[in-house]
Amino acid sequence: MSLQNGETPAPRAAGGTPGGGPDAGPATPPGSGATAPRGPGPATSRDPGPATPPSPGPATSPDPGAPAGGASASAPRRGRPRSEAVEQAIFEAVGGLLDEGVPLTELSVERIARTAGVGKATIYRRWSGKEDLFVDLLRSLEPPDPVLPGTSVRDDLVTLLEALRRRGLAKRSSALLHTVFSQMQLYPKLWDAYRLTVIEPRRRLGLDAVRRGMEEGEIRDDLDAEFVNDLFVGPLLLRTVVRPDSSDLEPGLAERVVDTLLDGLRPRA
């Protein structure tokens, strides 16, 4: 199979030669007198002492499939490395098809592979199906998940909401992201995959921060944690989903939302 878009050939078995036979090491010229080492036992008249190192044979081309550094033939083979160039070509193929007006539901792995100039096996080595591919595409277009500072509940909540704000801005500036989200509700399998692998982990981060606030006395503990978390993320989702054309995702919004809500959610005296 021809290689395309930066695909790397799978390494051959250690010690292999271009002809497929075992690589016995450097060739020994005829008549050099070198003998193969024998097992332990008394020396005979034909073995007067330590074996003489074989004379270097003619230079040969290195086997590109052999392990570097003279690795043993029993060394484990490494799997095929993921190629960022190939994945980018696949993502661009999906984006191009969507720009042409092809609905998500009509994008098959075969069509994506043909457009990207790769084989279907190349896609299936990376994703179990097109739903997983689409989720990874969405991840690549969004800001990365936040790392919470852990200095205080307020700081953690501000970090989470700031990530939501930046995600909202990314959705507005990316036509592809907007297109995928606008069609995702019509594609239940994709929506479920995105919800389970992207939305739920982020939501758990918020719930954990709210529960820490309740345990540490910064948030009333007589309230439902899910409800309180919805209060924090609600304003960001409203401005991103319900009012996507507005310009109210300004810097400082995360701090304003968190400080306003914490002021009202403090434990009662």
Side-chain angles (χ1 to χ4, degrees):
M1 182 180 65
S2 60
L3 303 176
Q4 304 176 60
N5 289 304
E7 281 290 293
T8 306
R12 283 176 288 185
T17 63
D23 183 358
T28 303
S32 65
T35 59
R38 290 199 295 270
T44 67
S45 59
R46 299 183 60 186
D47 186 5
T52 305
S55 303
T60 59
S61 300
D63 180 0
S72 165
S74 61
R77 293 175 58 183
R78 299 180 60 185
R80 182 187 299 268
R82 291 173 69 94
S83 167
E84 292 184 4
V86 171
E87 292 184 5
Q88 187 58 35
I90 294 169
F91 287 160
E92 289 175 359
V94 175
L97 290 169
L98 290 173
D99 286 342
E100 292 173 9
V102 180
L104 274 175
T105 52
E106 295 181 14
L107 282 181
S108 66
V109 170
E110 182 176 3
R111 187 170 187 177
I112 295 168
R114 185 170 61 248
T115 304
V118 301
K120 288 194 298 182
T122 298
I123 293 179
Y124 283 118
R125 273 196 299 270
R126 291 160 171 80
W127 300 282
S128 62
K130 63 181 183 178
E131 290 82 15
D132 288 342
L133 190 165
F134 294 155
V135 169
D136 263 6
L137 171 62
L138 288 172
R139 284 182 185 274
S140 74
L141 296 172
E142 294 187 7
D145 290 342
V147 177
L148 303 187
T151 51
S152 69
V153 171
R154 177 192 179 275
D155 290 346
D156 287 351
L157 290 170
V158 167
T159 299
L160 284 169
L161 295 196
E162 176 62 15
L164 282 178
R165 186 186 77 86
R166 292 181 178 275
R167 178 176 170 273
L169 292 173
K171 183 180 176 184
R172 289 179 182 178
S173 63
S174 170
L176 177 57
L177 196 59
H178 181 75
T179 299
V180 174
F181 270 103
S182 66
Q183 298 187 40
M184 200 155 43
Q185 299 293 339
L186 304 175
Y187 196 166
K189 288 181 68 176
L190 175 58
W191 174 249
D192 286 344
Y194 183 77
R195 179 178 56 81
L196 291 173
T197 61
V198 178
I199 295 178
E200 282 302 316
R202 291 176 180 172
R203 182 169 165 274
R204 284 195 295 271
L205 284 175
L207 281 171
D208 289 345
V210 167
R211 289 179 178 127
R212 285 198 305 275
M214 291 178 171
E215 292 169 1
E216 296 172 8
E218 297 183 50
I219 297 175
R220 289 169 48 187
D221 60 5
D222 62 325
L223 299 173
D224 178 66
E226 299 254 7
F227 170 72
V228 173
N229 186 55
D230 289 346
L231 292 178
F232 281 107
V233 302
L236 279 298
L237 295 179
L238 172 69
R239 297 177 185 219
T240 300
V241 179
V242 180
R243 302 205 301 260
D245 299 325
S246 65
S247 57
D248 49 7
L249 286 173
E250 68 277 6
L253 176 63
E255 289 86 346
R256 284 200 296 122
V257 170
V258 171
D259 289 339
T260 300
L261 287 173
L262 285 179
D263 187 54
L265 290 171
R266 288 196 185 102
R268 297 171 178 173

